[in-house]
C-alpha cells in the first residue's frame, strides 16, 4: 500500500506562527480586495479607527471613545480571524510542499547528443540544465533526473520517493508504461529517456505549486459564490443607507459605530472569511490521496460527476484472470488435454499462462525439449504454443485457434461453441487448445472481482453517480461481470472510439463524465471527459490529456476522487447555509437596540432580553468575530461525507447547519451579553 502524503497536525506550532503572521500581511488592501465581503469589513474598520482617533482629539463631541474603540478592535479581530483561516490552510499546503521538496534532488544527468548515441558519449550535466526534447541515459543505481518518456530500453524502477510504494515497477519503451518521473531510481537494466518538460514544469513542481495555496486560482463555483456574496453586501449597504432615513423620520440618532456594526453583522462574514480556506483545504485533501490536480476546478468538478467510466481489469477485477477448469471435448482424455495445455503454455509468460501451469500443477523444464520451437504469446496472434516433431500444439482465443483449425480442415464443433458460450455467460474467458489443427478442449479463465467493490458502487449509486464498466471482453462476459460487480452499464469489446462516443453521448444529455486511463489510446477520451485521471506510470500523452494524475497508479482512485470533490462542495454548501442562518439572531440583537429608546414598541423584538443597546451591539459583533475561528477545524477537515441523494443531503444540511446556525447565535449572543453586563 502506498503511503499518503502526510498532512501536518491542524494546530501545529509552526503552522500557527505562519498563519498568525499572514493574518497581518493579508490586511493589505491589495490582497483584501479579492474578497469583497471582508474588504468592506476592512473599510468599516478603518472608518471606526478614524472616528475613534478624532473622538480622542475631542473633535467629535458626543462620540463615546471607549465604545468606538472596542467596536474597532472587534472588527479588526474579525478580519484577523478570517485571514488566519486562509493563512492556516496555505501554511498546511506549504508544509506538505516542503516534504515534497525533500524528494527532489538536483542530480547529475547523462545527456546524449542524439537518440542512437552510445552511452559512452554521454555528457555529465546538472539535471537543472535539461530541457524539453533532450535525451538522457540511466542505468542501475541512477536517479532519474527529470520527467520523461522512455524511447529505448526497459528497467525496474523504485518509485517509493514519489508514491511511497516499496515494490519496484517495470517501465519500458513503446507501451503504456513508458512514463518516468524525476526523483525515482533505476534498480536494474538501462533506459534512454526523452525529456518531456522544462525545468520547473514537472509533475512534482506542479504539485508543490498547487499545494502552496497562494497560487491557487478560484474555481467557477467559488467565483459564482463570491459574486453572490458581493451582491448581498451591496444590498445591505443600501439597507443601511436607507435605515438612516427611517431613523431621521423617527427622530432617532444612530451612531456611526452602530451603523457599521449592523452592516458587518448583516453581511455573510462567516462564509466570506472561510471561503478561501475551504477551497485550499479541498486541494490539500486531494494531495493527501496522492492526486495531483492541475487545477482546483478539476477537484470541484469531480463532486458534480454524473457518470463514471471504469476499466474492468485492475479496477473491478483483481486484474489477472486465472485458469479454473479444463473442459475436454467428447472423445478427448482429460489428462491429454491438460498435458497439451501445459506444453502450449510453456512460452506464455502472461499471468494467464502461468495460472494454467498452476491449475495443472505441472512445471515442465524447457531444456527437456531441445528440438522444440516455442511460440510465445503475442497480442497480435492471440495464441501461444509449441512445435514438436509431428506435433503442433496451440492455445489461444476462440477466434484465433478456431481459424487455425478451420484452415486444417477441422472447424470447431457445435459442442465446442456450446462450452464457449456457457463459459462466457458465467463471466469467464474461454481459451481453445488444439493439436495438429484438431480442437481438444477449452480452458476456462475467470476474473476475480475485487472484495468490497460492490459496496463502493452502491455508495456511488446513492450519490446519483452512474457507473460504466469498460472492457475488451465479449458482450456475454461483460454482461456477467457487470451484473456481478453491480455496475449500471458496460461497454463490451471497447475500442478508443467507443469510449469517446459514450462520453460525448452522456455530455450531450447534460451530464458530467469522469474516467481514468494510462495509455496513449486513452488520451482522446481523457481529454474529452470532464474529469480525466491519468496514472503516473502511463504515457506522457495520457498525463497531458487528463486534468489529474494519480501518483499511486491505483485504478480505483477515481471513486475516491469523486468523494473528495463531493466533500468539497458539501463543506462549502453547509457553511454557506450556516453563515446565512446565523445572521438572523444578529438582526434581533441590533435592530431593536437602534430604535428601542425612541420607539418602546421595539422591546417586543428584544426576544433575548439583552442588557442594553450597547451590550446588544457589542455581543452581536463579538459573536460575529469568534464564530470564524470556531469553524476553522470544520473548514479544514471538511464536513463528514455521507453517500446519500441530493434531496436527502439538502434536508440533512438544512436540519443540522440551517437550524443549528439559527439557534446557536441566540445562545452565543445571550451568553456574551451576560458576560458584558457583569463586566
Amino acid at each position: 500500500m502506498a503511503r499518503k502524503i502526510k498532512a501536518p497536525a491542524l494546530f501545529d506550532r509552526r503552522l500557527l506562527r505562519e498563519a498568525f503572521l499572514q493574518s497581518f500581511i493579508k490586511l493589505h488592501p491589495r490582497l483584501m480586495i479579492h474578497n469583497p465581503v471582508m474588504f468592506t469589513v476592512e473599510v468599516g474598520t478603518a472608518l471606526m479607527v478614524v472616528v475613534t482617533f478624532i473622538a480622542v482629539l475631542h473633535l467629535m463631541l458626543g462620540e463615546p471613545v471607549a465604545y468606538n474603540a472596542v467596536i474597532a478592535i472587534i472588527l479588526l479581530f474579525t478580519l484577523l480571524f478570517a485571514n488566519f483561516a486562509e493563512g492556516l490552510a496555505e501554511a498546511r499546503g506549504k508544509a506538505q510542499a516542503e516534504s515534497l521538496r525533500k524528494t527532489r534532488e538536483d542530480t547529475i544527468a547523462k545527456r546524449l547528443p542524439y537518440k542512437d548515441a552510445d552511452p559512452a558519449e554521454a555528457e555529465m550535466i546538472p539535471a537543472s540544465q535539461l530541457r524539453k526534447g533532450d535525451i538522457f541515459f540511466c542505468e542501475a543505481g541512477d536517479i532519474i533526473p527529470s520527467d520523461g518518456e522512455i524511447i529505448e530500453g526497459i528497467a525496474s524502477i523504485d518509485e517509493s520517493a514519489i508514491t511511497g510504494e516499496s515494490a519496484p515497477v517495470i517501465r519500458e519503451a513503446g507501451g503504456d508504461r513508458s512514463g518516468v518521473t524525476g526523483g525515482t531510481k533505476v534498480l536494474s537494466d538501462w533506459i534512454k529517456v526523452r525529456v518531456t518538460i522544462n525545468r520547473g514544469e514537472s509533475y512534482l513542481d506542479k504539485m508543490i505549486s498547487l499545494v502552496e495555496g497562494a497560487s491557487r486560482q478560484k474555481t467557477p463555483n467559488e467565483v459564482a459564490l463570491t459574486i453572490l456574496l458581493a451582491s448581498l453586501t451591496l444590498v445591505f449597504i443600501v439597507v443601511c443607507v436607507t435605515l438612516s432615513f427611517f431613523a431621521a423620520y423617527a427622530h432617532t440618532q444612530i451612531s456611526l459605530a452602530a451603523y457599521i456594526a449592523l452592516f458587518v453583522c448583516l453581511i455573510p462574514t462567516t462564509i466570506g472569511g472561510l471561503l478561501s480556506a475551504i477551497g485550499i483545504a479541498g486541494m490539500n485533501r486531494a494531495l493527501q490521496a496522492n492526486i495531483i490536480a492541475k487545477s482546483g476546478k478539476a477537484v470541484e468538478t469531480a463532486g458534480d460527476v454524473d457518470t463514471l467510466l471504469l476499466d474492468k481489469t485492475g479496477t473491478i477485477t483483481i486484474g489477472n484472470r486465472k485458469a479454473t477448469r479444463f473442459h475436454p471435448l467428447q472423445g478427448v482424455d482429460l489428462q491429454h488435454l491438460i498435458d497439451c495445455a501445459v506444453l502450449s503454455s510453456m512460452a506464455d509468460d502472461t499471468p494467464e499462462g502461468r495460472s494454467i501451469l498452476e491449475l495443472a500443477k505441472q512445471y515442465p523444464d524447457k531444456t527437456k525439449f531441445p528440438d522444440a520451437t516455442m511460440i510465445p504469446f503475442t497480442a497480435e496472434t492471440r495464441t501461444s504454443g509449441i512445435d514438436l516433431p509431428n506435433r503442433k500444439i496451440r492455445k489461444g482465443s476462440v477466434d484465433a485457434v478456431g481459424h487455425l483449425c478451420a484452415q486444417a480442415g477441422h472447424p470447431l464443433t457445435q459442442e465446442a461453441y456450446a462450452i464457449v458460450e456457457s463459459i462466457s455467460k458465467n463471466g469467464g474467458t474461454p481459451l481453445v487448445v488444439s493439436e495438429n489443427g484438431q480442437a481438444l478442449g477449452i480452458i476456462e479463465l475467470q476474473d476475480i472481482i475485487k472484495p468490497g467493490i460492490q459496496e463502493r458502487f452502491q455508495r456511488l449509486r446513492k450519490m446519483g453517480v452512474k457507473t460504466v464498466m469498460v472492457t475488451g471482453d465479449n458482450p456475454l462476459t461483460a454482461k456477467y461481470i457487470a451484473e456481478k460487480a453491480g455496475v449500471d452499464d458496460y461497454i463490451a469489446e471497447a475500442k478508443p472510439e467507443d469510449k469517446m462516443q459514450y462520453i460525448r453521448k452522456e455530455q450531450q444529455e447534460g451530464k458530467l463524465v469522469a474516467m481514468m486511463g494510462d495509455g496513449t489510446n486513452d488520451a482522446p477520451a481523457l481529454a474529452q471527459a470532464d474529469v480525466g485521471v491519468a496514472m503516473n506510470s502511463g504515457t506522457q500523452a495520457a498525463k497531458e490529456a487528463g486534468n489529474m494524475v494519480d501518483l499511486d497508479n491505483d485504478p480505483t482512485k477515481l471513486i475516491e476522487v469523486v468523494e473528495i470533490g463531493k466533500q468539497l462542495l458539501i463543506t462549502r454548501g453547509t457553511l454557506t447555509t450556516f453563515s446565512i442562518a446565523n445572521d438572523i439572531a444578529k438582526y434581533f440583537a441590533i435592530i431593536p437596540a437602534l430604535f428601542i429608546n425612541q420607539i418602546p414598541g421595539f422591546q417586543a423584538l428584544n426576544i433575548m432580553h439583552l442588557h442594553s443597546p450597547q451590550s446588544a451591539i457589542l455581543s452581536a459583533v463579538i459573536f460575529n468575530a469568534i464564530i470564524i475561528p470556531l469553524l476553522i477545524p470544520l473548514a479544514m477537515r471538511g464536513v463528514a461525507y455521507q453517500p446519500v441523494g441530493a434531496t436527502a443531503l439538502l434536508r440533512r444540511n438544512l436540519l443540522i447547519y440551517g437550524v443549528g446556525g439559527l439557534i446557536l447565535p441566540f445562545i452565543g449572543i445571550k451568553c456574551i451579553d451576560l458576560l458584558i453586563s457583569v463586566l
Side-chain angles (χ1 to χ4, degrees), residues 462-510:
K462 287 180 180 178
M463 299 180 218
V465 178
K466 174 184 176 183
T467 51
V468 181
M469 182 183 76
V470 181
T471 177
D473 288 337
N474 63 69
L476 285 174
T477 301
K479 183 178 183 223
Y480 178 87
I481 296 293
E483 290 176 352
K484 194 172 180 182
V487 296
D488 300 309
D489 199 0
Y490 62 90
I491 307 173
E493 298 177 343
K495 299 182 288 295
E497 53 268 28
D498 296 329
K499 300 177 188 177
M500 284 282 290
Q501 184 178 356
Y502 196 97
I503 292 172
R504 285 173 177 162
K505 179 175 72 70
E506 292 288 299
Q507 290 173 333
Q508 285 169 2
E509 295 174 3

Side-chain angles (χ1 to χ4, degrees), residues 336 340 343 371-373 386-394 434-438:
H336 181 64
C340 288
L343 290 172
D371 298 329
T373 301
I386 185 171
D387 287 348
L388 298 166
N390 302 318
R391 295 177 72 191
K392 288 188 176 181
I393 302 173
R394 295 291 184 272
S434 69
E435 182 179 21
N436 295 329
Q438 178 75 49

Side-chain angles (χ1 to χ4, degrees), residues 85-267:
E86 184 174 357
L88 185 60
E90 291 177 358
R92 280 166 63 83
K94 289 175 182 177
Q96 290 172 298
E98 275 305 312
S99 68
L100 288 171
R101 282 195 179 94
K102 293 176 182 177
T103 69
R104 183 175 61 185
E105 302 177 40
D106 193 11
T107 56
I108 298 299
K110 301 174 183 177
R111 185 171 64 182
L112 298 174
Y114 51 91
K115 176 182 176 181
D116 298 325
D118 189 274
E121 302 177 54
E123 175 189 8
M124 310 296 282
I125 63 167
S128 57
Q129 295 182 17
L130 286 173
R131 294 294 179 267
K132 188 174 181 178
D134 285 350
I135 296 171
F136 61 84
F137 172 80
C138 282
E139 56 189 338
D142 289 346
I143 300 293
I144 295 176
S146 175
D147 289 9
E149 194 154 15
I150 300 173
I151 58 174
E152 186 179 343
I154 182 172
S156 174
I157 296 177
D158 175 10
E159 294 186 340
S160 60
I162 301 297
T163 67
E165 180 61 64
S166 58
V169 294
I170 302 297
R171 299 285 178 260
E172 60 184 322
D176 289 343
R177 303 281 174 162
S178 59
V180 293
T181 305
T184 57
K185 185 177 182 180
V186 177
L187 299 179
S188 68
D189 302 287
W190 59 269
I191 48 175
K192 289 182 181 178
V193 181
R194 178 181 287 112
V195 179
T196 54
I197 51 91
N198 287 316
R199 186 68 175 175
E201 298 176 358
S202 71
Y203 284 100
L204 194 56
D205 290 314
K206 288 178 183 177
M207 178 184 278
I208 291 170
S209 174
L210 283 167
V211 301
E212 284 184 322
S215 61
R216 186 187 69 90
Q217 298 297 312
K218 288 186 177 181
T219 63
N221 280 352
E222 191 174 344
V223 170
L225 184 55
T226 301
I227 293 172
L228 174 62
L229 297 180
S231 301
L232 289 175
T233 302
L234 289 174
V235 168
F236 288 123
I237 289 175
V238 174
V239 169
C240 290
V241 171
T242 305
L243 196 63
S244 64
F245 295 103
F246 285 102
Y249 179 78
H251 305 291
T252 300
Q253 186 175 2
I254 300 177
S255 68
L256 181 62
Y259 274 123
I260 292 176
L262 173 64
F263 172 71
V264 170
C265 288
L266 285 175
I267 63 176

Side-chain angles (χ1 to χ4, degrees), residues 288-365:
Q288 290 164 34
N290 269 12
I291 299 167
I292 303 176
K294 294 181 181 178
S295 69
K297 180 182 178 181
V299 178
E300 193 172 272
T301 303
D304 284 328
V305 159
D306 301 294
T307 305
L308 203 58
L309 267 64
L310 299 159
D311 276 332
K312 182 201 76 172
T313 305
T315 304
I316 297 171
T317 62
I318 289 176
N320 298 328
R321 294 172 296 185
K322 292 188 175 182
T324 57
R325 187 178 173 186
F326 296 105
H327 298 267
L329 295 178
Q330 188 173 5
V332 177
D333 181 65
L334 174 60
Q335 190 58 49
H336 181 64
L337 170 62
I338 294 173
D339 292 340
C340 288
V342 168
L343 290 172
S344 64
S345 300
M346 287 171 59
D348 184 0
D349 291 328
T350 65
E352 289 86 353
R354 291 193 291 271
S355 75
I356 292 171
L357 301 182
E358 292 172 4
L359 179 63
K361 297 181 180 178
Q362 295 184 32
Y363 303 93
D365 186 355

Side-chain angles (χ1 to χ4, degrees), residues 371-640:
D371 298 329
T373 301
M374 300 292 177
I375 312 295
F377 175 85
T378 66
E380 184 178 355
T381 64
R382 292 182 296 162
T383 61
S384 65
I386 185 171
D387 287 348
L388 298 166
N390 302 318
R391 295 177 72 191
K392 288 188 176 181
I393 302 173
R394 295 291 184 272
K395 173 215 71 190
S397 69
V398 176
D399 292 343
V401 178
H403 180 67
L404 294 176
C405 291
Q407 285 183 326
H410 305 289
L412 297 183
T413 63
Q414 289 297 322
E415 179 195 3
Y417 281 117
I419 295 173
V420 166
E421 185 176 357
S422 175
I423 292 172
S424 298
K425 283 182 177 179
N426 289 325
T429 301
L431 297 178
V432 180
V433 180
S434 69
E435 182 179 21
N436 295 329
Q438 178 75 49
L440 300 177
I442 317 294
I443 303 171
E444 180 177 350
L445 301 177
Q446 282 289 346
D447 285 300
I448 309 300
I449 293 178
K450 286 187 174 181
I453 198 71
Q454 295 95 334
E455 288 75 11
R456 300 198 74 175
F457 288 147
Q458 186 64 31
R459 283 169 62 89
L460 289 169
R461 194 170 294 109
K462 287 180 180 178
M463 299 180 218
V465 178
K466 174 184 176 183
T467 51
V468 181
M469 182 183 76
V470 181
T471 177
D473 288 337
N474 63 69
L476 285 174
T477 301
K479 183 178 183 223
Y480 178 87
I481 296 293
E483 290 176 352
K484 194 172 180 182
V487 296
D488 300 309
D489 199 0
Y490 62 90
I491 307 173
E493 298 177 343
K495 299 182 288 295
E497 53 268 28
D498 296 329
K499 300 177 188 177
M500 284 282 290
Q501 184 178 356
Y502 196 97
I503 292 172
R504 285 173 177 162
K505 179 175 72 70
E506 292 288 299
Q507 290 173 333
Q508 285 169 2
E509 295 174 3
K511 297 176 181 177
L512 296 179
V513 183
M515 76 160 286
M516 174 173 272
D518 60 357
T520 301
N521 63 335
D522 291 324
L526 286 170
Q528 180 69 36
D530 299 285
V531 178
V533 184
M535 287 194 279
N536 193 46
S537 61
T539 61
Q540 187 67 22
K543 289 190 281 188
E544 290 296 334
N547 47 26
M548 293 188 188
V549 178
D550 173 28
L551 294 178
D552 289 338
N553 305 308
D554 178 5
T556 64
K557 188 66 69 67
L558 199 52
I559 299 172
E560 193 170 348
V561 169
V562 172
E563 293 183 347
I564 291 170
K566 285 194 175 294
Q567 187 183 32
L568 171 61
L569 294 174
I570 290 168
T571 301
R572 185 182 296 149
T574 52
L575 288 181
T576 301
T577 302
F578 183 89
S579 176
I580 294 173
N582 75 24
D583 286 341
I584 295 175
K586 301 167 195 172
Y587 308 157
F588 282 95
I590 295 180
I591 292 179
L594 298 178
F595 295 97
I596 200 167
N597 290 330
Q598 296 296 325
I599 309 177
F602 268 86
Q603 180 65 39
L605 295 178
N606 185 19
I607 59 177
M608 288 180 278
H609 302 289
L610 301 179
H611 183 261
S612 67
Q614 290 76 16
S615 69
I617 292 172
L618 284 175
S619 299
V621 177
I622 290 172
F623 180 85
N624 191 67
I626 64 174
I627 195 63
I628 295 176
L630 291 177
L631 289 174
I632 287 177
L634 185 62
M636 296 289 121
R637 293 176 181 141
V639 175

